[in-house]
């Protein structure tokens, strides 16, 4: 079922008497250089424009009708099999909001810092914080005490909510901290107790507007210092609406989703802590990712949908053996947060021909989304693409030397405009001005091109391009070549400084157990498939490629590792 048929979405039409302003095939306007979305939501399903609508009110308004909410399961804990219905979830959100407001004095504009792995309580915490008009900021539990302290200070957090095993990282900050659950030997108040002890009460009217800040999400900082991305209620509501549309055109209300994406990340927050509740589906929740547990969960709970990241898809290609698990219930796997190579995508489709694989594109600064595939036929025909622009999104491909907006098949920096684009970076006017221009265009920093059917292809991060003898080499392209070899389980390519060439590509690889693949063999394997200026010049063997929680390669760590090895030889 196509998106145009599935949710009252229609191809954009010009008013009668007007000439089309852009090409109906690619979405490209030759006069302005702007790519337009080829799909428009109907009046019934458009993004709400009510100025006083906030995120929590919007999400709760999409819950199943009370007659269904008592029996419809919202969440299942994989470890304990505990189930939470939509009725119970609503009650917990309202109870916690009551406790935060009346017992703890949390008010509009207060920043609440959340430090916890995935849990059944995570969505309740997020929606309760937003219900009282407070601002949500989330952090990776793997962050160090120093990193946690920096984020608490930078965000101006007034209250922290933390898993018991993480609370020690918050002690030096002095911020009041509420535990998610109370250990038996601790007298501290916990979220669980607050929910149990507080009956939902009518809260004083909190005057919120869609332009108010709802969240401060910290970028991964893979190429620079982490910055606080200011996301408004309009940003979240826009994405919630588009997520509901994308789920409704591809799934049914009886579908079961699997969550292992961390909810502190924009991908997990938008999908699992907020968005999927708008579609009334069931989510099986993993606290932390484990590959075998994922396969068990698909079989046990008859999972249909998995929003995933490229390393997980690569693992399914490389590590699943025929007959070890019954994965026939699986119908759809999405890929986001990092580029998915054509080689890995093709390998997945060959191994799991009954599963639809759809890649999307987004970033924290666009509230986690921008492009999407509405049909499997499109995705198969354009392996390696990230899909078409979502409704409400426009784009430009800008030559980063001339500033000229480019037509299809010309590579440049991707610029985006949408109601989902962030307000800016917290306390950093210089970075905001460098990222969002005076007309509201978001400079993504990603090198890309559109084809003549309006499908987006991400080449690489501009900052990560390797400059070799005046040529630009995309690490992602070389990584895709490396991963096509059966003895290479994972790979990352980084720049190494070189006096003659400026930079040379170096590959770090994870090889299969017992492999005798040598550095020279790997270099020759890549050289046989790419232009001479692109070939890998050095190879390092490593036990695991360092990645962020969202699956992005942490190239800075590998660059540091390569520098340490050079110094150790001096």
């Amino acid at each position: 079922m196509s998106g145009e048929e599935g949710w009252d979405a229609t191809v954009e039409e010009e008013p009668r008497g007007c000439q089309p302003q852009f090409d109906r095939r690619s979405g490209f306007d030759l006069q302005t250089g702007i790519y337009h979305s080829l799909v428009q939501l109907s009046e019934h399903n458009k993004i709400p424009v009510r100025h006083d609508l906030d995120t929590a009110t919007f999400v709760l308004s999409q819950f199943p009708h009370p007659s269904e909410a008592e029996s419809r399961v919202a969440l299942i804990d994989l470890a304990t099999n505990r189930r939470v219905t939509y009725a119970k979830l609503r009650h917990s959100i309202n109870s916690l909001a009551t406790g935060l407001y009346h017992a703890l004095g949390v008010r509009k504009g207060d920043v609440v810092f959340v430090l916890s792995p995935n849990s059944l309580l995570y969505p309740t915490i997020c929606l309760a914080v937003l219900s009282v008009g407070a601002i949500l900021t989330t952090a990776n539990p793997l962050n160090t005490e120093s990193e946690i302290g920096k984020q608490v200070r930078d965000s101006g957090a007034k209250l922290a909510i933390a898993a018991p095993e993480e609370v020690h990282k918050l002690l030096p900050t002095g911020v009041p901290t509420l535990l998610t659950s109370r250990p038996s030997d601790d007298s501290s108040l916990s979220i669980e107790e607050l929910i149990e002890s507080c009956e939902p009460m009518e809260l004083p009217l909190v005057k919120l507007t869609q332009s108010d800040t709802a969240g401060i999400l910290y970028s991964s900082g893979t190429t620079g210092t982490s910055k606080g991305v200011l996301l408004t209620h309009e940003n979240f509501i826009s994405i919630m609406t588009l997520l509901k549309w994308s789920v409704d055109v591809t799934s049914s209300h009886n579908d079961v989703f699997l969550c292992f994406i961390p909810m502190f990340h924009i991908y997990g927050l938008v999908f699992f802590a907020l968005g999927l509740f708008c579609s009334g589906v069931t989510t099986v929740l993993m606290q932390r990712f484990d590959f075998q547990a994922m396969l068990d969960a698909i079989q046990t709970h008859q999972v249909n949908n998995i929003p995933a990241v490229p390393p997980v898809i690569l693992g399914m290609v490389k590590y699943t053996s025929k007959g070890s698990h019954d994965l026939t219930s699986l119908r759809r796997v999405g890929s986001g947060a990092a580029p998915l190579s054509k080689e890995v995508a093709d390998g997945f489709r060959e191994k799991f021909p009954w599963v639809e694989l759809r890649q999307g594109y987004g970033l924290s600064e666009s509230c986690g989304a921008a492009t999407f595939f509405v049909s499997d036929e499109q995705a198969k025909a354009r392996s390696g693409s990230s899909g078409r622009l979502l409704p409400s999104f426009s784009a430009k491909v800008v030559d980063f030397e001339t500033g000229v907006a480019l037509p299809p098949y010309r590579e440049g920096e991707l610029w985006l405009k949408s109601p989902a684009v962030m307000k800016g970076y917290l306390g950093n006017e210089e970075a905001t001005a460098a990222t969002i221009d005076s007309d509201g265009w978001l400079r993504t920093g990603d090198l890309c091109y559109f084809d003549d059917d309006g499908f987006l292809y991400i080449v690489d991060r501009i900052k990560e391009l390797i400059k070799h003898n005046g040529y630009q080499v995309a690490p992602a392209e070389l990584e895709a070549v490396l991963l096509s070899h059966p003895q290479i389980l994972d790979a990352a390519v980084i720049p190494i400084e070189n006096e003659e060439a400026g930079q040379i590509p170096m590959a770090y690889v994870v090889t299969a157990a017992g492999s005798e693949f040598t550095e020279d063999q790997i270099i020759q394997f890549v050289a046989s498939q790419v232009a001479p200026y692109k070939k890998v010049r050095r190879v390092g063997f490593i036990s695991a490629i360092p990645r962020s929680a969202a699956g992005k390669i942490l190239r800075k760590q590998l660059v540091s590792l390569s520098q340490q090895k050079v110094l150790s030889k001096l």
Side-chain angles (χ1 to χ4, degrees):
M1 179 169 62
S2 71
E4 287 80 359
E5 299 166 339
W7 212 60
D8 294 332
T10 57
V11 175
E12 291 191 4
E13 296 180 357
E14 295 294 327
R16 289 182 181 180
C18 294
Q19 293 297 317
Q21 297 299 304
F22 57 84
D23 180 69
R24 297 301 171 180
R25 184 177 168 194
S26 66
F28 182 68
D29 186 325
L30 186 61
Q31 291 185 332
T32 64
I34 295 173
Y35 291 86
H36 298 268
S37 175
L38 295 168
V39 178
Q40 183 183 41
L41 301 179
S42 70
E43 286 296 328
H44 176 69
N45 299 314
K46 276 189 174 179
I47 296 168
V49 294
R50 260 184 56 196
H51 188 59
D52 61 347
L53 182 64
D54 65 273
T55 305
T57 300
F58 174 75
V59 173
L60 288 167
S61 73
Q62 304 298 309
F63 272 32
H65 188 272
S67 61
E68 294 182 68
E70 289 287 353
S71 58
R72 187 176 291 277
V73 176
L75 294 162
I76 301 174
D77 187 300
L78 181 63
T80 64
N81 205 36
R82 182 184 168 196
R83 294 164 184 249
V84 177
T85 65
Y86 275 90
K88 176 64 176 175
L89 180 59
R90 182 188 290 274
H91 184 274
S92 296
I93 292 165
N94 292 337
S95 293
L96 181 55
T98 298
L100 291 174
Y101 188 91
H102 290 290
L104 298 177
V106 178
R107 295 293 185 267
K108 175 185 176 181
D110 288 347
V111 177
V112 179
F113 181 93
V114 180
L115 182 64
S116 171
N118 289 353
S119 73
L120 291 181
L121 283 173
Y122 211 113
T124 297
I125 293 167
C126 293
L127 286 163
V129 167
L130 294 171
S131 291
V132 299
I135 298 168
L136 187 70
T137 188
T138 58
N140 187 342
L142 296 178
N143 285 0
T144 65
E145 183 180 294
S146 173
E147 291 169 323
I148 295 297
K150 181 180 182 300
Q151 185 173 332
V152 167
R153 292 189 299 273
D154 189 64
S155 65
K158 299 291 180 64
L159 175 71
I161 298 173
E165 65 272 19
E166 304 297 338
V167 72
H168 66 280
K169 297 176 184 176
L170 285 158
L171 294 178
T173 69
V175 67
T177 302
L178 192 64
L179 301 182
T180 53
S181 59
R182 181 172 63 85
S184 57
D185 58 348
D186 195 313
S187 59
S188 303
L189 182 66
S190 72
I191 289 290
E192 288 180 340
E193 291 171 310
L194 206 55
I195 292 171
E196 291 171 2
S197 63
C198 294
E199 280 297 316
M201 294 172 56
E202 191 76 26
L203 298 176
L205 181 64
V206 181
K207 293 185 178 180
L208 288 169
T209 69
Q210 288 205 30
S211 60
D212 287 328
T213 300
I216 307 173
L217 274 288
Y218 281 76
S219 61
S220 57
T222 53
T223 59
T225 304
S226 181
K227 298 181 287 291
V229 176
L230 293 170
L231 297 174
T232 66
H233 289 279
E234 180 184 29
N235 297 155
F236 279 125
I237 291 169
S238 297
I239 292 301
M240 299 300 104
T241 303
L242 296 176
L243 178 59
K244 177 175 171 56
W245 167 74
S246 69
V247 171
D248 286 0
V249 299
T250 60
S251 310
S252 77
H253 292 301
N254 294 320
D255 273 9
V256 178
F257 284 70
L258 180 63
C259 171
F260 48 75
I261 302 292
M263 292 184 186
F264 63 78
H265 185 270
I266 187 66
Y267 190 0
L269 179 68
V270 163
F271 236 99
F272 294 109
L274 301 173
L276 281 182
F277 302 125
C278 295
S279 294
V281 299
T282 298
T283 298
V284 178
L285 184 67
M286 296 176 68
Q287 186 178 82
R288 291 183 175 87
F289 178 72
D290 177 88
F291 189 76
Q292 290 302 317
M294 176 193 75
L295 299 179
D296 291 341
I298 296 170
Q299 178 173 298
T300 301
H301 293 281
Q302 295 293 284
V303 169
N304 312 118
N305 290 270
I306 304 180
V309 291
V312 173
I313 295 167
L314 175 64
M316 293 182 73
V317 175
K318 298 272 185 177
Y319 297 121
T320 52
S321 55
K322 191 173 183 180
S324 62
H325 289 82
D326 180 4
L327 305 182
T328 54
S329 66
L330 196 59
R331 291 205 311 272
R332 189 168 296 107
V333 172
S335 179
L340 178 69
S341 73
K342 181 181 185 301
E343 289 75 11
V344 173
D346 290 345
F348 181 91
R349 291 191 176 97
E350 182 179 347
K351 195 164 191 176
F352 305 99
W354 69 92
V355 181
E356 298 178 3
L357 176 63
R358 303 186 188 180
Q359 186 175 3
Y361 169 84
L363 57 163
S364 298
E365 289 84 349
S366 68
C367 208
T371 66
F372 178 71
F373 277 108
V374 295
S375 77
D376 191 46
E377 290 73 22
Q378 290 179 352
K380 284 180 179 178
R382 292 167 179 84
S383 187
S385 169
S386 297
R388 281 174 166 165
L389 288 169
L390 284 162
S392 85
F393 275 86
S394 301
K396 288 197 280 190
V397 177
V398 179
D399 186 302
F400 37 84
E401 292 182 355
T402 67
V404 173
L406 303 172
Y409 293 108
R410 294 281 301 280
E411 291 184 1
E413 182 182 13
L414 177 64
W415 289 20
L416 295 171
K417 183 182 278 191
S418 166
V421 167
M422 69 170 182
K423 182 189 292 188
Y425 293 116
L426 176 65
N428 197 331
E429 293 182 7
E430 183 180 350
T432 299
T435 305
I436 302 178
D437 78 357
S438 58
D439 292 323
W441 286 98
L442 171 70
R443 301 178 175 101
T444 68
D446 286 317
L447 182 67
C448 76
Y449 66 90
F450 282 90
D451 68 14
D452 54 17
D453 287 312
F455 289 91
L456 176 68
Y457 292 79
I458 299 295
V459 178
D460 216 326
R461 290 289 296 169
I462 291 172
K463 289 182 179 179
E464 292 177 352
L465 292 175
I466 300 169
K467 312 298 193 304
H468 178 77
N469 281 333
Y471 293 101
Q472 295 186 138
V473 181
E477 180 183 356
L478 297 179
E479 288 156 4
V481 173
L482 289 161
L483 290 172
S484 69
H485 196 285
Q487 291 188 48
I488 296 178
L489 303 181
D490 205 355
V493 175
I494 61 169
I496 298 294
E497 299 303 318
N498 180 272
E499 287 186 8
E500 294 181 2
Q503 294 178 328
I504 59 173
M506 176 182 179
Y508 275 98
V509 299
V510 179
T511 55
S515 171
E516 296 181 355
F517 215 11
T518 67
E519 179 177 14
D520 286 342
Q521 288 174 327
I522 292 173
I523 290 173
Q524 291 305 313
F525 172 72
V526 175
S528 67
Q529 301 181 65
V530 299
Y533 70 89
K534 294 181 181 179
K535 69 179 185 180
V536 169
R537 263 68 177 183
R538 285 174 54 186
V539 176
F541 295 90
I542 196 169
S543 59
I545 300 296
R547 295 180 183 271
S548 71
K552 293 181 181 177
I553 296 170
L554 299 176
R555 298 186 201 276
K556 289 191 294 185
Q557 291 187 18
L558 293 174
V559 170
S560 297
L561 177 62
S562 69
Q563 292 170 344
Q564 291 169 14
K565 292 194 172 182
V566 169
L567 290 172
S568 68
K569 294 178 180 179
L570 298 178

